[in-house]
Amino acid sequence: MTERSHRGTTRVDDPYDDEPAPVRPALRVVHEPEEIDLAAAEAAAGQFLRALGISTASESLRGTPGRMARAYAELFSPRPFDLTTFPNDEGYDELVLARRIPVRTVCEHHLLPVVGTAHVGYLPGARILGLSKLARVVEHFACRPQVQERLTKQVADWLQTHLEPKGVGVVIEAEHACMTLRGVQAAGSSTLTSTLLGLLRSDARSRGEFLALTGTTP
């Protein structure tokens, strides 16, 4: 992952101040994976299917190896985005929470889908975050083979580092196809993980409010 600063933030001028407010550079977030070789991936996908006894000779399956390669390339390629923040001029100090952010990734042990939702919140410090960026951060870390525990902590730690809020909370609930479609075949089961940092961890009232609003209290 590469993070680059660039002058992408809007300047806000105070009409009563002779000097315009300084522009805070936006943080450009780019994930730079290893070079993708779709031709090699397609050939490997064809070998994989044939090794499992699935012929790709029929008209309907002939293009499947290529579709597999392109699908996984898409799953593993997060979109770049700008982490846009704004001054917390009003001194807002209550919880900001984005609920039910879609999560889709693949389990790094079986490369099977993991699908669910994330609840991401923070207690603002000096700056507030453009709300869509909470979903962007979740997508950014989900676009690679993952385990849910690591994904939850990565989102929380990254926001704590780059936003510097008073607290961060992340809860993810997801269904793992490696549990529901194979092995134990526990259809309908879901996994819940959470990471709480700052006041959302140390302050009982703030922690309780966050967990209640995310629906994760007993």
Side-chain angles (χ1 to χ4, degrees), residues 37-47 50 62-67 69-70:
D37 187 339
L38 283 175
E42 179 176 350
Q47 286 186 311
R50 289 188 291 274
R62 193 171 300 133
T64 295
R67 288 188 288 268
R70 292 189 296 275

Side-chain angles (χ1 to χ4, degrees), residues 207-208 210-218:
R207 181 174 65 252
F210 174 77
L211 293 176
L213 289 174
T214 59
T216 53
T217 51

Side-chain angles (χ1 to χ4, degrees), residues 101-105 114-120 137-139 141-142 146-156 169-176 190-195 210 214 216:
I101 298 171
V103 174
R104 63 113 176 93
T105 185
V114 177
V115 179
T117 56
H119 310 294
V120 182
V137 174
V138 172
E139 177 193 277
F141 286 105
Q146 272 287 14
V147 295
Q148 187 173 326
E149 298 88 341
R150 182 197 305 130
L151 173 61
T152 308
K153 193 169 188 306
Q154 283 177 331
V155 172
V170 179
V171 172
I172 296 178
E173 183 172 8
E175 181 175 301
H176 294 242
S190 64
T191 299
L192 190 71
T193 52
S194 66
T195 296
F210 174 77
T214 59
T216 53

Side-chain angles (χ1 to χ4, degrees), residues 31-42 66 68-78 143-144:
H31 178 61
E32 296 178 348
E34 298 294 328
E35 183 177 352
I36 294 175
D37 187 339
L38 283 175
E42 179 176 350
M68 284 178 60
R70 292 189 296 275
Y72 276 100
E74 180 180 341
L75 285 171
F76 298 153
S77 301
C143 282
R144 65 201 69 179

Side-chain angles (χ1 to χ4, degrees), residues 88-118:
N88 186 12
D89 292 331
E90 302 302 321
Y92 185 83
D93 60 0
E94 296 294 333
L95 182 67
V96 178
L97 175 64
R99 299 191 298 178
R100 294 186 289 277
I101 298 171
V103 174
R104 63 113 176 93
T105 185
V106 294
C107 164
E108 70 178 26
H109 301 134
H110 302 93
L111 290 189
L112 288 173
V114 177
V115 179
T117 56

